[in-house]
Amino acid sequence: MASKRMNVLVYSGNGATIESIRHCLFTLRRLLSPRYAVISVTGDAIIKEPWTASCAMLVFPGGADLGYCRTLNGEGNRRISQFVERGGVYLGLCAGGYYGSKRCEFEVGNKSLEVVGSRELAFYPDTCRGCAFPGFVYHSEAGARNVELKVSKTALGEGSVPNVFRSYYNGGGVFVDAPKYHDKGVEILASFTEKTHVDAGEGLAAVVYCKVGDGAAILTSPHPEFAAVNLDKDKDSEAPGFSKVIEALAQDDKQRTDFLKACLAKLGLQVNQEEDLVPSLSRLHLSSLKASTTSEVMASLEDIITVEDDEEYIKDDNDTFHIERPSSWSVPEKKGEKMDDDDANEDRILNYSTIIKRVVVHDKEYPASKETPYFNHHAYFANLKHYQSEFGEEENGFGQQILYGEVVTSTNTILEKNTQILRRLPSGLTATATVQVAGRGRGNNVWVSPAGSLIFSTIIRHPVSLLGHAPVVFLQYLAALAIVEGVKNYDYGYQNIPVKLKWPNDIYALDPDDSTGKNYVKIGGILVNSHYSSSEYLSVVGIGINTSNTSPSASLNALRPPTPFTLEKLLARILTCFSGFYTRFKRTGFDKHFEEMYYRHWLHTDQIVTLEAEGGVRAQIKGITRDWGLLIAEELGWEDRGTGKLWTLQTDSNSFDFFKGLVKRKVWVKNSSSPLLSLPQEIKDHIYGFLYSGHIIQIVQDDHLYLCEFDQLSEGVGTPRLKDPDAPLEHYVCECSRSEQYPGNQDPIAILRDVIKMKVLGQPPCEGCSHSKKLDISLLQTCRQLHYEARRVLYFTNTFSFKNPRTLHVFGKRSSHTDKIAIRDLRLVMNLPKANKESLFKTRMGCLPLDEIEWSEAICLTVVDQLTRLQNIELYIVRGTNNSGIEQAERDRSLSARSNEWITFILELRHLPLSSAKIVVHDWDYVFWPSLFEARTRVQQCAIEEGERNLPELRWSLALKKKWADYARRVILRQIEYPDHRAVVWKRITRNPRSHESPYFDDLCERW
């Protein structure tokens, strides 16, 4: 894959003012779109994100450069300097100019404003001294003026570059002695024509160009990015005469724009030479495959429609819509009809949410081509019907109703930000457009959407009841599959179009300009936003694909298809694929069929990456998980051989620069409208703790998976094997207090009910507890950020309980490293019967003979090796004993005699940082019968049949159990030194023939 530099990043972190950012974004988007995406970027992103590979220019707007220093000094500035020295470019405007100089001297002698000090970037090798002109006041226009600048045509070239022009100024400095540094790559691009208020040394440099390694920087004192039309004339009250300043700037607006274009071109950017005005919004057209369906859609909106002066309006959270019928408006004669709002047609910074959007309802026939000249509704619906009939897809699938606009803000915003409308619209309704002026990408990104791109957003109403097997997070994977399959099944001869998936939500194509045939470039992206509403998730799936446009990157038609793709036909094909995939997904989840299809199309098979968050470990991509779609990476050891250690990487906490093989941490992105996101983390943790902490969470698998036929047991099968290791883990929560659940003096029968009865009879883990229920965290799945934040608290503040060693081992294999190291409290209920005919009799009575070897493996390989931050452990041991062992224990009265040498593996727990341990020992010679007497009688009868007598001697005394448990607890907590017992455990495991049948035996041997 190759990375094209198509992002222009405008710093919006600490120190930058909102007005400067707005002016900068407006002007740069006007001059650079659609070749570049002009995006705001935070300080954290500069420090932590892999932004350099795709960045064409880094821009620091006006503000206060001390804020820049506080955020970026050190690592941030090191990355910026490295970016520029390796061929990147930097544009510093006013405060950004101070920040890019070697030294800043601002208002020296003025105690309230003085800022003096060296700067780390030092692109300009001397001082930027200000203010160049007096009167500056922070956050005010009091010191603003228009300054005259003389342009150096020798530095910028001839042509349309002006000789002199006026520019907005408010607090900038002068670059001291700039002519002296000509031999160091410094060029003066523009100079003040007036004498400055401070000593400028030689020359009056206002704008300088600095060569830095393989890159360059332009630093300015004035604000050539400020357009007069975006300045507020009403500020005359705070700055007398400011309206005259604006009038003077307006007269030189073309010269200012030409100068800025020349500066950007000198930095190597491709600039729009023609005037590219901000397009005004157009009407939206609502239509359906069946005309009657449009009326049904409008009927569902009746309760939120208001009438004013006989006109219908819908006032929603983000936008106001004016409903029009075809008879109430006339088709404009000019092609590409626009709204007639004055604000919508003015070329300046606009607040699009204040502009009324007009919606034309077509409930009798499709919109005519002269109404929508860039989208043929007849062709779209004809192709939709064709694909549905050809591939046997549902007639009520996606795309039956569409909302089209030639120019819109963002199809995702129109649907997702207007929640009243969203709650009432049908699943599958799709909004599409020819041009977006505020397209939304993942995180803070902007998706550049010029004419020729296929842009659409589809509503999906996903029931909460399906989350168990069909999590909503997989919608982005289904959308990606639908795009690739839609392209390859567009028509005959398209199956070899070279398009691929980049995890988790990008579409890449083979670079048509690359002669090697190995590099891929991005041509599309997917954005999914979900809201939780009652019993369903309201998801808006936004998709953008470069289809016939030539910029900002490659497009589908550049891949030389048999015939060019058309937007209408491609939209119909993708929606029919998406609809079919979603129908199957609701039934089967992300099953093996989808998994194989995804791997067939993705770019990352066996790709080797570096996990920087794990200390630079090399790992190989293995696939994605079926539960949450997380990326699976296996650690590589010597000679890049897999070690078996796996990481699961989250879509919202990892950013992938696969161009360099790096996997880096990503700053959290607020990807939901939940008000929780705006709260401080400490308060959110308290909320999560209140909702989800203090529970005992029992991890179980389906009970029938552990049961075998009795004839198998009679043939000597000591422990039933797991029929389906991939069976889903179920999480049950018990709301009983911990002190009440397993009191130390509880009768063994009550313990055994809790251990076994759920497995045999399928009851909840807490016997007789009316509060037991399956754990439900669906509320947090409205936003992945909330989910993962709360998940950490969930694992950190609850006790996790296991009653089966194999479930514990499966839990260790499937859970993410982050989840496992968050667990602090663990409970193990260990049923360890003696493997003889007496235990077989007990097995027939309902007990599962899970022996010590399996518990040994589970504790060593999962608890000790993976739950490395465990602090508290509770062990409830139910054990069948033998007479000789009891006698030896009675004689020696010590743990070292190993009267029960099966328990020695528990001493592995000494290697954990435990602060507390609780051990309760029970032995058993009876199991659930209607009365204790009957149970004892039946077991005695079994013992007599086997030639055994004196059953009471088979049990420890209460005093011995308490003594043993206390001794073991103190050894585990390292309160008593105890000799190394690993050789003992190894000896027992190797001499036990059954242990060689264990699937984990090789792992155990390798570790010991």
Side-chain angles (χ1 to χ4, degrees):
M1 287 178 288
S3 176
K4 287 191 174 181
R5 295 179 179 264
M6 58 173 287
N7 291 334
V8 172
L9 304 181
V10 178
Y11 176 77
S12 60
N14 185 22
T17 64
I18 295 176
E19 281 300 307
S20 294
I21 296 170
R22 291 176 65 231
H23 281 277
C24 197
L25 291 174
F26 170 83
T27 298
L28 292 179
R29 285 174 180 169
R30 182 178 174 184
L31 297 180
L32 299 175
S33 294
R35 293 181 178 88
Y36 302 93
V38 182
I39 310 166
S40 60
V41 63
T42 64
D44 280 343
I46 289 176
I47 294 171
K48 300 175 182 178
E49 281 291 287
W51 53 271
T52 56
S54 59
C55 179
M57 180 172 66
L58 180 64
V59 183
F60 273 70
D65 89 319
L66 275 181
Y68 305 165
C69 295
R70 294 188 188 102
T71 301
L72 298 170
N73 274 358
E75 176 62 17
N77 286 335
R78 184 193 68 80
R79 298 189 75 188
I80 295 171
S81 296
Q82 188 179 73
F83 163 70
V84 177
E85 288 171 357
R86 293 181 177 178
V89 296
Y90 173 98
L91 177 62
L93 304 165
C94 194
Y98 284 111
Y99 189 59
S101 301
K102 185 176 182 179
R103 181 176 175 82
C104 169
E105 293 182 3
F106 182 80
E107 289 296 289
V108 177
N110 185 337
K111 293 184 178 180
S112 62
L113 294 176
E114 180 178 282
V115 176
V116 178
S118 60
R119 296 294 181 259
E120 293 180 348
L121 294 181
F123 297 143
Y124 177 68
D126 204 328
T127 302
C128 182
R129 183 175 293 152
C131 295
F133 301 99
F136 173 77
V137 178
Y138 275 113
H139 309 294
S140 170
E141 302 290 1
R145 63 174 63 196
N146 61 80
V147 294
E148 189 176 67
L149 300 175
K150 182 178 181 181
V151 179
S152 172
K153 288 201 170 187
T154 57
L156 290 175
E158 301 294 332
S160 61
V161 180
N163 293 316
V164 177
F165 74 97
R166 285 171 289 187
S167 177
Y168 174 86
Y169 168 91
N170 195 358
V174 60
F175 298 96
V176 177
D177 292 329
K180 294 181 179 181
Y181 299 101
H182 181 75
D183 58 342
K184 292 186 177 181
V186 175
E187 300 178 45
I188 300 175
L189 304 185
S191 302
F192 295 113
T193 59
E194 303 176 48
K195 185 178 180 180
T196 58
H197 181 63
V198 294
D199 182 12
E202 182 180 344
L204 296 171
V207 182
V208 294
Y209 170 89
C210 308
K211 183 65 177 173
V212 184
D214 293 333
I218 287 182
L219 312 179
T220 78
S221 168
H223 285 276
E225 81 281 13
F226 274 44
V229 70
N230 293 319
L231 295 173
D232 189 358
K233 294 181 179 180
D234 295 334
K235 291 190 175 181
D236 263 355
S237 57
E238 68 177 56
F242 185 60
S243 60
K244 294 183 179 180
V245 171
I246 296 176
E247 291 174 3
L249 293 174
Q251 294 175 8
D252 282 4
D253 192 68
K254 183 180 184 305
Q255 292 87 334
R256 173 196 65 84
T257 303
D258 290 340
F259 173 78
L260 188 54
K261 286 180 180 180
C263 290
L264 295 174
K266 188 172 181 67
L267 290 174
L269 278 75
Q270 299 181 52
V271 184
N272 299 328
Q273 295 303 323
E274 298 180 0
E275 289 295 324
D276 188 13
L277 303 181
V278 176
S280 55
L281 301 183
S282 64
R283 283 180 166 85
L284 302 170
H285 297 266
L286 178 64
S287 59
S288 303
L289 179 61
K290 297 179 180 178
S292 59
T293 309
T294 307
S295 299
E296 295 174 4
V297 172
M298 294 306 301
S300 67
L301 301 174
E302 278 186 357
D303 58 328
I304 58 173
I305 294 178
T306 59
V307 179
E308 299 178 10
D309 299 327
D310 295 329
E311 299 290 337
E312 295 179 322
Y313 294 89
I314 297 178
K315 297 180 180 179
D316 214 322
D317 300 338
N318 191 75
D319 297 298
T320 298
F321 299 90
H322 180 197
I323 309 301
E324 297 179 343
R325 308 291 172 174
S327 59
S328 65
W329 68 287
S330 59
V331 179
E333 294 182 2
K334 64 177 182 177
K335 194 174 183 180
E337 168 271 335
K338 303 292 188 293
M339 294 184 187
D340 53 9
D341 297 65
D342 292 338
D343 287 344
N345 291 305
E346 192 169 348
D347 184 34
R348 61 183 178 84
I349 296 176
L350 297 175
N351 182 358
Y352 286 109
S353 63
T354 63
I355 299 174
I356 297 176
K357 284 75 179 175
R358 302 175 184 269
V359 181
V360 182
V361 179
H362 298 267
D363 52 3
K364 299 188 182 300
E365 58 183 3
Y366 301 151
S369 59
K370 61 183 179 180
E371 300 172 32
T372 58
Y374 297 103
F375 189 85
N376 189 324
H377 285 75
H378 291 80
Y380 164 73
F381 285 120
N383 280 289
L384 188 69
K385 294 173 74 172
H386 165 71
Y387 285 129
Q388 288 177 343
S389 62
E390 182 177 347
F391 293 94
E393 293 168 354
E394 298 180 4
E395 291 187 359
N396 59 347
F398 296 169
Q400 305 295 309
Q401 308 90 18
I402 64 168
L403 182 67
Y404 167 78
E406 181 184 325
V407 180
V408 302
T409 52
S410 162
T411 56
N412 251 47
T413 299
I414 288 174
L415 297 180
E416 189 252 335
K417 293 296 184 182
N418 295 294
T419 54
Q420 293 187 63
I421 293 177
L422 179 61
R423 292 192 187 103
R424 292 164 173 82
L425 292 177
S427 186
L429 184 142
T430 298
T432 184
T434 299
V435 175
Q436 288 186 146
V437 295
R440 294 167 58 194
R442 190 172 174 81
N444 289 329
N445 293 337
V446 173
W447 179 252
V448 180
S449 310
S453 296
L454 177 59
I455 314 157
F456 66 97
S457 300
T458 300
I459 297 173
I460 298 179
R461 308 178 76 98
H462 191 70
V464 170
S465 59
L466 301 180
L467 291 182
H469 71 280
V472 71
V473 69
F474 278 102
L475 291 181
Q476 63 182 335
Y477 298 93
L478 298 180
L481 286 174
I483 294 170
V484 175
E485 287 290 319
V487 169
K488 291 180 176 291
N489 292 285
Y490 179 82
D491 211 331
Y492 296 108
Y494 288 77
Q495 62 273 13
N496 294 322
I497 296 293
V499 290
K500 294 284 187 179
L501 307 176
K502 175 178 174 287
W503 184 87
N505 55 9
D506 288 331
I507 309 299
Y508 274 65
L510 197 65
D511 188 350
D513 298 327
D514 178 49
S515 58
T516 65
K518 296 180 180 179
N519 290 324
Y520 283 79
V521 293
K522 182 176 178 178
I523 63 165
I526 300 163
L527 174 67
V528 181
N529 294 98
S530 297
H531 296 263
Y532 180 77
S533 177
S534 183
S535 61
E536 63 184 358
Y537 286 102
L538 300 177
S539 299
V540 178
V541 181
I543 294 174
I545 309 165
N546 293 336
T547 306
S548 60
N549 49 298
T550 57
S551 61
S553 65
S555 64
L556 288 175
N557 283 342
L559 302 177
R560 294 182 287 276
T563 58
F565 289 91
T566 64
L567 298 181
E568 296 85 353
K569 186 175 180 179
L570 183 59
L571 176 60
R573 176 68 284 210
I574 292 175
L575 286 175
T576 49
C577 286
F578 197 4
S579 182
F581 291 162
Y582 179 67
T583 300
R584 178 189 174 98
F585 174 69
K586 288 191 297 182
R587 185 176 68 254
T588 67
F590 200 80
D591 59 5
K592 189 175 182 180
H593 169 77
F594 283 125
E595 193 175 35
E596 291 176 350
M597 186 189 307
Y598 194 83
Y599 294 154
R600 187 165 65 248
H601 293 312
W602 81 336
L603 284 165
H604 313 305
T605 302
D606 294 331
Q607 185 170 357
I608 295 177
V609 297
T610 300
L611 305 181
E612 292 197 349
E614 301 293 340
V617 172
R618 283 169 59 81
Q620 190 172 55
I621 303 301
K622 290 298 183 181
I624 58 174
T625 63
R626 289 190 192 175
D627 52 359
W628 285 98
L630 307 182
L631 196 69
I632 303 171
E634 181 183 16
E635 180 186 46
L636 296 178
W638 184 63
E639 292 186 346
D640 281 345
R641 295 179 180 178
T643 65
K645 186 174 184 179
L646 300 177
W647 282 277
T648 53
L649 307 172
Q650 302 168 2
T651 57
D652 265 358
S653 65
N654 289 275
S655 181
F656 298 87
D657 185 359
F658 281 107
F659 312 118
K660 294 187 177 180
L662 301 178
V663 181
K664 301 190 178 185
R665 289 288 183 191
K666 184 172 183 179
V667 184
W668 279 116
V669 175
K670 295 184 178 181
N671 59 350
S672 170
S673 59
S674 171
L676 272 177
L677 289 172
S678 61
L679 297 176
Q681 189 64 46
E682 182 179 358
I683 297 178
K684 286 192 284 186
D685 285 346
H686 281 299
I687 294 173
Y688 302 145
F690 177 78
L691 293 173
Y692 294 108
S693 66
H695 298 305
I696 299 169
I697 298 180
Q698 180 72 49
I699 310 297
V700 301
Q701 280 185 308
D702 292 344
D703 53 352
H704 70 279
L705 300 170
Y706 291 96
L707 300 180
C708 293
E709 298 297 333
F710 288 140
D711 57 353
Q712 291 178 309
L713 293 173
S714 64
E715 294 173 1
V717 181
T719 304
R721 292 298 172 192
L722 191 61
K723 292 182 179 178
D724 182 9
D726 294 327
L729 292 175
E730 302 289 347
H731 296 61
Y732 286 87
V733 61
C734 171
E735 296 178 351
C736 294
S737 66
R738 298 177 186 179
S739 60
E740 294 175 353
Q741 177 127 25
Y742 284 107
N745 60 354
Q746 189 170 334
D747 191 278
I749 283 186
I751 292 286
L752 291 171
R753 283 199 189 102
D754 191 29
V755 174
I756 299 165
K757 195 169 183 181
M758 182 192 63
K759 281 285 183 268
V760 178
L761 304 180
Q763 294 188 4
C766 181
E767 176 68 18
C769 175
S770 61
H771 300 291
S772 297
K773 61 182 181 180
K774 189 172 180 180
L775 185 63
D776 180 15
I777 58 173
S778 60
L779 176 63
L780 299 172
Q781 294 168 343
T782 58
C783 168
R784 284 190 296 275
Q785 178 176 342
L786 290 180
H787 172 78
Y788 287 115
E789 285 181 356
R791 189 181 181 92
R792 176 178 56 80
V793 175
L794 181 75
Y795 279 78
F796 185 83
T797 61
N798 293 288
T799 298
F800 281 74
S801 179
F802 296 86
K803 300 177 181 179
N804 188 296
R806 297 175 192 175
T807 304
L808 176 57
H809 194 89
V810 171
F811 177 82
K813 285 283 189 181
R814 295 187 190 173
S815 300
S816 70
H817 175 70
T818 303
D819 290 344
K820 286 183 288 191
I821 65 174
I823 294 177
R824 297 293 184 269
D825 300 275
L826 180 69
R827 162 178 290 172
L828 302 179
V829 182
M830 305 164 64
N831 177 22
L832 300 167
K834 185 73 176 173
N836 54 26
K837 291 187 178 180
E838 179 183 331
S839 66
L840 174 61
F841 171 73
K842 296 170 184 175
T843 300
R844 292 175 183 271
M845 294 159 50
C847 297
L848 303 178
L850 304 172
D851 61 25
E852 63 268 20
I853 297 299
E854 289 166 317
W855 274 113
S856 175
E857 293 168 348
I859 288 179
C860 293
L861 300 181
T862 301
V863 179
V864 176
D865 285 359
Q866 300 181 46
L867 308 185
T868 54
R869 298 183 184 177
L870 197 65
Q871 294 181 357
N872 308 296
I873 192 166
E874 302 175 20
L875 302 176
Y876 295 92
I877 305 168
V878 184
R879 171 66 183 174
T881 61
N882 58 68
N883 194 31
S884 61
I886 294 288
E887 291 175 354
Q888 185 176 358
E890 290 286 353
R891 287 196 304 271
D892 297 337
R893 299 280 180 168
S894 69
L895 186 62
S896 60
R898 296 191 353 265
S899 57
N900 275 328
E901 82 181 22
W902 49 268
I903 207 66
T904 55
F905 63 81
I906 293 178
L907 300 180
E908 278 289 310
L909 298 172
R910 295 163 60 216
H911 299 280
L912 293 172
L914 296 173
S915 59
S916 70
K918 178 179 180 181
I919 302 177
V920 177
V921 180
H922 292 279
D923 52 8
W924 57 312
D925 57 356
Y926 46 78
V927 184
F928 340 103
W929 291 95
S931 67
L932 291 178
F933 175 78
E934 183 177 355
R936 192 171 184 81
T937 301
R938 295 293 299 273
V939 175
Q940 285 176 337
Q941 180 181 355
C942 174
I944 291 172
E945 291 174 357
E946 300 300 326
E948 299 181 13
R949 298 291 187 273
N950 302 321
L951 185 63
E953 295 182 8
L954 294 176
R955 303 186 64 193
W956 279 11
S957 66
L958 181 61
L960 181 59
K961 286 186 286 188
K962 287 183 176 179
K963 182 179 180 66
W964 187 94
D966 180 65
Y967 193 96
R969 180 185 63 81
R970 288 188 292 158
V971 171
I972 290 173
L973 295 178
R974 295 180 173 271
Q975 297 173 357
I976 298 176
E977 290 298 324
Y978 191 77
D980 188 9
H981 59 282
R982 293 194 175 203
V984 175
V985 181
W986 170 246
K987 182 178 179 182
R988 280 191 49 77
I989 292 178
T990 54
R991 77 185 184 193
N992 188 327
R994 282 196 61 256
S995 67
H996 293 277
E997 302 171 9
S998 167
Y1000 321 124
F1001 179 73
D1002 292 339
D1003 290 343
L1004 204 62
C1005 293
E1006 182 180 347
R1007 291 174 185 274
W1008 282 349

